[in-house]
Amino acid sequence: MDLSELDLVDHHCHGLVTRDLDRPEFESLMTEAAAPSALGGSLFDSQIGFALRRFCPPVLDLEPHADPDAYLARRAELGATEVNRRMMAAAGTQTFLVDTGYLPEPITTPTELAALTGGRGHEVVRLELVAAEVLEDGAGSFPERFRTELARRCATAVGVKSIAAYRAGLSLGGQRPTDVQVVAAADRLLRSGSTRVADPVLHEFLVWSGIDLQMPVQFHIGYGDADTDLHRGDPLLMTDLLRATEPHGVPIMLLHTYPFHRNAGFLAQVFGHVFVDVGLATHNLGARSAALIPELLELAPFGKVLFSSDAFGLAELYLLGTELFRRGLAGYLQQGTDDGAWTAADAHRVARLVGAENARRAYRL
Amino acid sequence: MDLSELDLVDHHCHGLVTRDLDRPEFESLMTEAAAPSALGGSLFDSQIGFALRRFCPPVLDLEPHADPDAYLARRAELGATEVNRRMMAAAGTQTFLVDTGYLPEPITTPTELAALTGGRGHEVVRLELVAAEVLEDGAGSFPERFRTELARRCATAVGVKSIAAYRAGLSLGGQRPTDVQVVAAADRLLRSGSTRVADPVLHEFLVWSGIDLQMPVQFHIGYGDADTDLHRGDPLLMTDLLRATEPHGVPIMLLHTYPFHRNAGFLAQVFGHVFVDVGLATHNLGARSAALIPELLELAPFGKVLFSSDAFGLAELYLLGTELFRRGLAGYLQQGTDDGAWTAADAHRVARLVGAENARRAYRL
Amino acid sequence: MDLSELDLVDHHCHGLVTRDLDRPEFESLMTEAAAPSALGGSLFDSQIGFALRRFCPPVLDLEPHADPDAYLARRAELGATEVNRRMMAAAGTQTFLVDTGYLPEPITTPTELAALTGGRGHEVVRLELVAAEVLEDGAGSFPERFRTELARRCATAVGVKSIAAYRAGLSLGGQRPTDVQVVAAADRLLRSGSTRVADPVLHEFLVWSGIDLQMPVQFHIGYGDADTDLHRGDPLLMTDLLRATEPHGVPIMLLHTYPFHRNAGFLAQVFGHVFVDVGLATHNLGARSAALIPELLELAPFGKVLFSSDAFGLAELYLLGTELFRRGLAGYLQQGTDDGAWTAADAHRVARLVGAENARRAYRL
């Protein structure tokens, strides 16, 4: 089963860094580690490093498994613009849903990113960033002002994203907060001298505001960098919120989810509006993504599983995300076909659902 | 290795629905989702859906992988009685331990269920249901009245079951509550206008009452429907209770346990009275049950692993539970035999232990 | 790929029992169960039992898969000294880092253990044991006296070990406790009539004292015996402590980590000073260790993965730990080489890193 031409909607990614990078800068962008460690050696000695050396050198006219220095020398020789162009063309994704809320340095816009593959880019609005901007004008009438601003921003967007997992954790309640509670929480935050939302009441308010606009709500789940408290990122902690939001019929997207992907799959089965993916982990696990993808395809109905790369910065990550996803999914579906678990026709249908059709339906693209 | 004739004791299942079902009704009973979701499509597009289409159509004279509508049309044509008869005969289970405490609609009794395979049915008494009945007569002397009623009900039963996981969660203590504490808790409950037990003290009391009667105690663990808070269903939360109950020598059965089956396997190794299974998940994971069963067979001693279907309602689920269990276990044991990990004789002995002998020993059948 | 001669540093193990053992004594030492259970049958019917019967009988001149009684009869015939000599020679480990803090009965010293393979033994000092000794002289000036004594003990040691997971759990904070706080906590402990540390403040103090001495700090994580509360042994609970200690550049070793090995792998990626292993589980999982080792090699960079047996008491466990580790790692690396995921040269380099070089670098051996 060959899925190398499978149509893909990358329902969660970020923009590309467009400048040239030296080896420490490159390694710092390659995984969720802030930088390689003197104690542990190069991050190229890892699953993602080996996967990168397998799949990316040929795109730059080198042999597979080129050593890191040779690869980076060739990358510098070609320059970031040409490397980005080649890698994105090789990735072949046609539709990108781009989280525009993480901007540690200048990166491509959704439109610039999509132009590299001749595809389309759509924006996903990060809720906490909008909230911080609106909070600059005080806590009074914060709820109304936030709703107005979010509606304005969402007019050209396809979804919103919550990073509650990075801030207050995912123990979010099933009660929709009142505007009075929200103003009180905003007031407490501002008195502490910050506009950085990290309070369950405010996170819940942001999420409900997105739901009121019928915007699919993405949640950071599980795997991230050293700033995340992974044990507060288990999606099971959101169970009350999921029960409360289900009747509204607005999709909830559980992003990446590793190592809680089986928990996420359970939620996708029992809650009609829950969707799941294993982005970010797919490329970080390299060859082991072939074991990860079948673990996601346990309880999660095939109509609720999505593709994402969660790539940021390095063009290589977009390529690895798609390449490993296509291979992992194809390998698993082919094995089931060979074993008689399903027909080839059903296997291809599942691949189309997961690759693009589920996302198109859920986001109404 | 062929285990298609392996003797099976299904140590945890429910009764069959005996009426005819339309497609929405059928899909609603097929998984732990309440119903298919407009956002996510048919639940037949899932591991269990594909497994059902593989194994069940031939029992109704259709080709494997018949499409859902054709399958359901043939099912309607034959009628529920004939379908139930054929499926149960194909499942071939000879002994059923039936939880009689979940009755959302009229279903078969243990005796009626077992008659379909020519086997035997035994009752497992749901503790919280008995408690609710006894509480109708007030909190005063509740402990004595409950013990008397439970003893009466257990005279013809082989075990009891706790659904604490669905109510107060599994953070149960190591101290046996006194009757004074139990009466106080019962009084609080009744004052709140309910007889629905959802209080650690009462759940602990129910469990200890079962132990006093030397009844093996089944616990709902992990996987269930949208009413369960899965993060409160991790069996590790019961560690104190397991320490306290171990000296009594009464088996504790950790049911289904997915996705906490490795945690459950640990408990089965270190506590002499703990048994485990992966029912419910076996059929819901379809082809992936072949990966699940080996994960259970890690720390759990082979003398502490049990078979269950946890089937409810649809006859197809009993067939899938047994078929996938037999195949998954056979595949794993055969692979180990081929690799030299164990002998064929030991592999067959393990299959007999897990299929039936462990249950017969633990429940004294 | 043959790793049977791979150089191994066992960075976490205990001493050998030197007396002869009857079957109940042998079974009690074989797994983390205190003893076989009348309800569950022999512990030889388990993954570790089958692995032992596969690999150990030939060392005692028997056929593989000898039955337990025949094996134990031959073991008794040869005597513990000869069995220990043969098994350790077959294990072939050249360097042992030995936790000298668990002494339920007389066992070999690090030097005696290493002499059996012609290798070297180094000591790892158990923090809580030193604390208990120092606390015998009261709480006043406990911090200074502990630091002095620990420095003295560490002069000839290569690391320290914390068993906070067994006592207060791993919810350790990111604030280094002050000496005033430590004295207050020590005073509370002594007033309770104990010198057994089980208080986050004291555990944190012990850990920081090790870091001040530049001693790598080992942490018991996850899997252990029935005394451990496994849900308090998830290494994610240590996230704040890991953030606080990272700038000091002293390695933190997360021991065994099963069933939290994926969580541990995440920590090893995002924190530069975190190392991980799957000791103890490797031999207890028997043939399934071949599935466990690849799960560890997901997010954990290959420069941060270590080998340990965590063997205690039975010489068979040292052999099984090394044999299963060598086979599991070789099998996984060979498969990746065959699939083109990495080169054979890289596979061998990874094996050398994980087998010994990472430990030599981290412990400065």
Side-chain angles (χ1 to χ4, degrees):
Chain A
M1 184 167 188
D2 179 7
L3 297 180
S4 60
E5 301 296 316
L6 180 69
D7 198 16
L8 291 180
V9 174
D10 186 345
H11 91 110
H12 174 59
C13 65
H14 303 268
L16 275 170
V17 167
T18 53
R19 67 190 165 92
D20 290 318
L21 300 164
D22 63 21
R23 180 159 175 173
E25 288 171 329
F26 188 91
E27 286 205 40
S28 295
L29 284 168
M30 192 167 71
T31 75
E32 294 301 299
S37 145
L39 285 167
S42 168
L43 291 169
F44 275 100
D45 282 338
S46 63
Q47 289 283 9
I48 186 173
F50 283 15
L52 190 152
R53 288 173 51 210
R54 175 187 196 178
F55 293 113
C56 297
V59 180
L60 309 190
D61 315 314
L62 301 176
E63 292 295 310
H65 306 298
D67 84 42
D69 284 330
Y71 178 77
L72 292 171
R74 175 63 179 159
R75 196 182 202 277
E77 184 180 59
L78 289 169
T81 303
E82 173 64 10
V83 169
N84 287 351
R85 194 191 61 74
R86 291 190 185 193
M87 289 287 165
M88 296 307 294
T93 306
Q94 286 301 304
T95 307
F96 298 89
L97 276 52
V98 185
D99 172 3
T100 53
Y102 181 58
L103 296 159
E105 63 170 291
I107 54 174
T108 55
T109 65
T111 304
E112 290 165 353
L113 179 72
L116 291 168
T117 70
R120 291 204 57 179
H122 300 280
E123 186 180 3
V124 173
V125 175
R126 191 177 286 202
L127 294 166
E128 288 79 6
L129 198 67
V130 177
E133 290 168 15
V134 175
L135 282 166
E136 294 290 341
D137 295 324
S141 74
F142 168 67
E144 303 96 278
R145 288 185 292 114
F146 178 79
R147 283 190 286 258
T148 302
E149 177 60 13
L150 187 65
R152 193 183 70 76
R153 299 280 290 269
C154 286
T156 55
V158 297
V160 297
K161 178 179 172 191
S162 167
I163 56 164
Y166 261 94
R167 302 284 180 85
L170 291 175
S171 291
L172 301 175
Q175 289 289 93
R176 184 184 183 125
T178 64
D179 279 8
V180 171
Q181 292 171 313
V182 173
V183 169
D187 192 55
R188 276 195 305 274
L189 177 61
L190 290 173
R191 282 176 195 278
S192 78
S194 172
T195 58
R196 187 177 178 276
V197 171
D199 174 303
V201 167
L202 293 176
H203 288 296
E204 291 161 9
F205 166 69
L206 304 187
V207 168
W208 282 104
S209 300
I211 289 172
D212 287 341
L213 294 169
Q214 301 287 314
M215 284 279 113
V217 185
Q218 300 182 341
F219 279 87
H220 176 100
I221 303 287
Y223 185 31
D225 64 23
D227 284 342
T228 198
D229 284 336
L230 197 62
H231 59 290
R232 301 193 303 166
D234 184 337
L236 297 181
L237 299 172
M238 296 169 58
T239 305
D240 286 336
L241 182 71
L242 295 175
R243 283 196 193 106
T245 54
E246 186 177 26
H248 296 263
V250 175
I252 301 284
M253 276 49 188
L254 306 181
L255 302 175
H256 10 91
T257 74
Y258 181 92
F260 307 116
H261 45 288
R262 282 173 154 173
N263 296 0
F266 161 75
L267 296 171
Q269 183 186 77
V270 302
F271 292 108
H273 63 325
V274 170
F275 291 73
V276 292
D277 76 61
V278 283
L280 190 58
T282 303
H283 56 268
N284 273 279
L285 264 61
R288 279 289 295 175
S289 56
L292 172 64
I293 289 166
E295 289 186 4
L296 182 65
L297 297 174
E298 290 184 354
L299 290 186
F302 303 146
K304 311 289 270 317
V305 177
L306 302 173
F307 165 69
S308 89
S309 66
D310 196 16
F312 171 85
L314 295 185
E316 283 84 348
L317 304 184
Y318 300 79
L319 175 62
L320 291 176
T322 55
E323 181 74 29
L324 291 165
F325 177 77
R326 291 173 191 278
R327 285 174 170 258
L329 186 63
Y332 180 62
L333 292 174
Q334 182 64 55
Q335 180 201 310
T337 307
D338 294 345
D339 292 347
W342 42 72
T343 64
D346 277 323
H348 279 94
R349 196 165 54 80
V350 167
R352 289 192 301 269
L353 285 171
V354 173
E357 291 174 16
N358 292 335
R360 293 211 180 97
R361 179 184 348 106
Y363 289 97
R364 292 177 291 185
L365 300 179
Chain B
M1 183 168 188
D2 179 6
L3 298 180
S4 59
E5 301 296 318
L6 180 70
D7 198 15
L8 291 180
V9 174
D10 186 345
H11 90 108
H12 174 59
C13 65
H14 303 267
L16 274 170
V17 167
T18 54
R19 65 189 167 93
D20 292 317
L21 301 164
D22 62 21
R23 179 158 175 172
E25 289 170 328
F26 188 91
E27 285 204 40
S28 295
L29 283 168
M30 192 167 71
T31 75
E32 292 301 300
S37 145
L39 286 168
S42 167
L43 291 169
F44 275 100
D45 281 338
S46 64
Q47 289 283 9
I48 187 173
F50 282 14
L52 190 152
R53 289 173 51 210
R54 176 188 196 176
F55 294 113
C56 297
V59 180
L60 308 189
D61 314 316
L62 301 176
E63 293 295 310
H65 307 298
D67 84 43
D69 283 330
Y71 178 77
L72 293 171
R74 174 63 179 159
R75 196 182 202 278
E77 185 179 58
L78 288 169
T81 304
E82 173 64 9
V83 170
N84 287 350
R85 194 192 61 73
R86 291 191 185 192
M87 289 287 165
M88 296 307 293
T93 306
Q94 285 301 303
T95 308
F96 298 89
L97 275 53
V98 184
D99 172 3
T100 53
Y102 181 60
L103 295 159
E105 62 171 292
I107 54 175
T108 56
T109 65
T111 303
E112 290 166 354
L113 179 71
L116 291 169
T117 71
R120 293 205 56 181
H122 300 280
E123 186 180 4
V124 173
V125 175
R126 192 177 285 202
L127 293 166
E128 288 80 5
L129 198 67
V130 177
E133 290 168 16
V134 175
L135 282 166
E136 294 290 340
D137 294 324
S141 75
F142 168 68
E144 304 95 278
R145 288 185 292 113
F146 178 80
R147 282 190 286 260
T148 302
E149 177 61 13
L150 187 66
R152 194 183 69 76
R153 299 279 290 269
C154 286
T156 56
V158 296
V160 297
K161 178 179 172 191
S162 166
I163 56 164
Y166 261 92
R167 302 284 180 85
L170 290 174
S171 292
L172 301 174
Q175 289 289 93
R176 183 184 184 125
T178 64
D179 280 7
V180 171
Q181 293 172 312
V182 173
V183 169
D187 191 56
R188 277 194 305 275
L189 177 61
L190 291 173
R191 283 175 195 278
S192 78
S194 172
T195 58
R196 187 178 180 275
V197 171
D199 174 302
V201 166
L202 292 176
H203 287 296
E204 292 162 9
F205 166 69
L206 303 187
V207 167
W208 282 103
S209 299
I211 289 172
D212 288 341
L213 294 169
Q214 301 288 312
M215 283 280 114
V217 184
Q218 300 181 341
F219 279 87
H220 177 101
I221 303 287
Y223 185 31
D225 63 25
D227 284 341
T228 197
D229 285 335
L230 196 62
H231 59 290
R232 302 193 303 167
D234 184 337
L236 297 181
L237 299 172
M238 297 169 58
T239 305
D240 285 336
L241 181 71
L242 295 175
R243 283 196 194 107
T245 54
E246 186 176 27
H248 295 262
V250 175
I252 301 285
M253 276 48 187
L254 307 181
L255 302 176
H256 8 91
T257 74
Y258 181 91
F260 307 115
H261 45 288
R262 283 173 154 172
N263 296 359
F266 160 76
L267 296 171
Q269 182 186 78
V270 302
F271 292 108
H273 63 324
V274 170
F275 291 73
V276 292
D277 76 60
V278 284
L280 189 58
T282 303
H283 55 268
N284 273 280
L285 263 61
R288 279 290 295 176
S289 58
L292 172 65
I293 290 166
E295 288 186 5
L296 182 65
L297 296 175
E298 290 184 353
L299 290 187
F302 303 146
K304 311 288 271 316
V305 177
L306 302 173
F307 165 68
S308 89
S309 66
D310 196 16
F312 171 85
L314 295 185
E316 283 85 348
L317 304 184
Y318 300 78
L319 175 61
L320 290 177
T322 56
E323 181 74 27
L324 291 165
F325 177 78
R326 290 173 192 277
R327 285 174 170 259
L329 186 64
Y332 181 63
L333 293 175
Q334 182 64 55
Q335 179 201 312
T337 307
D338 293 344
D339 293 346
W342 43 71
T343 64
D346 276 323
H348 279 95
R349 196 164 54 80
V350 168
R352 290 192 300 271
L353 285 171
V354 174
E357 291 175 17
N358 291 336
R360 292 211 180 97
R361 179 184 348 106
Y363 289 97
R364 294 176 290 186
L365 300 179
Chain C
M1 184 166 186
D2 179 7
L3 297 180
S4 61
E5 301 295 318
L6 180 69
D7 197 16
L8 291 180
V9 174
D10 186 344
H11 91 110
H12 174 60
C13 65
H14 303 268
L16 274 169
V17 167
T18 54
R19 65 189 167 92
D20 291 316
L21 301 163
D22 61 22
R23 179 159 176 173
E25 290 171 327
F26 188 91
E27 286 205 40
S28 295
L29 283 168
M30 193 167 71
T31 75
E32 294 301 301
S37 145
L39 285 167
S42 168
L43 291 170
F44 275 101
D45 282 339
S46 63
Q47 290 283 8
I48 187 173
F50 282 15
L52 190 153
R53 289 173 51 210
R54 175 187 197 178
F55 294 114
C56 297
V59 181
L60 308 189
D61 314 316
L62 301 175
E63 292 296 310
H65 306 298
D67 84 42
D69 283 330
Y71 179 77
L72 292 171
R74 175 63 180 159
R75 196 181 202 277
E77 185 180 58
L78 288 168
T81 303
E82 174 64 8
V83 169
N84 288 350
R85 194 191 61 73
R86 290 191 185 192
M87 289 288 166
M88 296 307 292
T93 306
Q94 286 300 304
T95 307
F96 298 90
L97 276 52
V98 185
D99 172 2
T100 53
Y102 181 60
L103 296 160
E105 64 171 289
I107 55 174
T108 56
T109 65
T111 303
E112 290 165 353
L113 179 71
L116 291 168
T117 70
R120 292 204 59 181
H122 301 278
E123 186 179 5
V124 172
V125 174
R126 192 177 285 202
L127 293 166
E128 289 80 6
L129 199 68
V130 177
E133 289 168 16
V134 174
L135 282 166
E136 293 291 341
D137 294 324
S141 73
F142 168 68
E144 303 96 280
R145 288 184 293 113
F146 178 80
R147 282 189 287 259
T148 302
E149 178 60 13
L150 186 66
R152 193 182 69 77
R153 299 280 288 271
C154 286
T156 55
V158 297
V160 297
K161 178 180 173 190
S162 166
I163 55 164
Y166 261 93
R167 302 285 179 84
L170 290 175
S171 291
L172 301 175
Q175 289 289 90
R176 184 183 183 128
T178 64
D179 279 8
V180 171
Q181 292 172 313
V182 173
V183 169
D187 191 56
R188 277 195 304 276
L189 178 61
L190 291 172
R191 282 176 196 278
S192 78
S194 171
T195 58
R196 188 179 179 277
V197 171
D199 174 303
V201 166
L202 293 176
H203 288 295
E204 291 162 9
F205 167 70
L206 303 187
V207 168
W208 282 103
S209 299
I211 288 173
D212 288 341
L213 294 169
Q214 301 288 313
M215 284 279 113
V217 185
Q218 301 181 341
F219 280 86
H220 177 100
I221 303 288
Y223 186 30
D225 64 23
D227 284 341
T228 198
D229 285 335
L230 196 62
H231 58 290
R232 300 193 303 166
D234 185 336
L236 297 180
L237 299 171
M238 297 169 58
T239 304
D240 286 336
L241 182 71
L242 294 176
R243 283 195 194 109
T245 54
E246 186 177 26
H248 295 263
V250 175
I252 300 285
M253 275 50 188
L254 307 180
L255 302 175
H256 9 91
T257 73
Y258 181 92
F260 306 116
H261 45 289
R262 283 172 154 174
N263 296 0
F266 160 76
L267 296 171
Q269 183 186 77
V270 302
F271 292 109
H273 64 324
V274 170
F275 291 73
V276 292
D277 76 61
V278 283
L280 190 57
T282 304
H283 56 267
N284 273 279
L285 263 61
R288 278 290 296 175
S289 57
L292 172 65
I293 290 167
E295 288 187 5
L296 182 65
L297 297 174
E298 290 184 354
L299 290 186
F302 303 146
K304 311 288 272 316
V305 176
L306 303 173
F307 165 69
S308 89
S309 67
D310 197 15
F312 171 86
L314 294 185
E316 283 84 349
L317 304 184
Y318 300 79
L319 175 61
L320 291 176
T322 56
E323 182 73 27
L324 291 165
F325 178 78
R326 291 174 191 278
R327 284 174 170 260
L329 185 63
Y332 180 62
L333 292 175
Q334 182 65 55
Q335 180 202 311
T337 307
D338 294 344
D339 292 347
W342 42 71
T343 64
D346 276 323
H348 279 94
R349 195 164 55 80
V350 167
R352 289 193 300 271
L353 285 171
V354 174
E357 292 174 16
N358 292 335
R360 292 212 181 96
R361 178 184 350 106
Y363 289 98
R364 292 176 291 184
L365 300 178

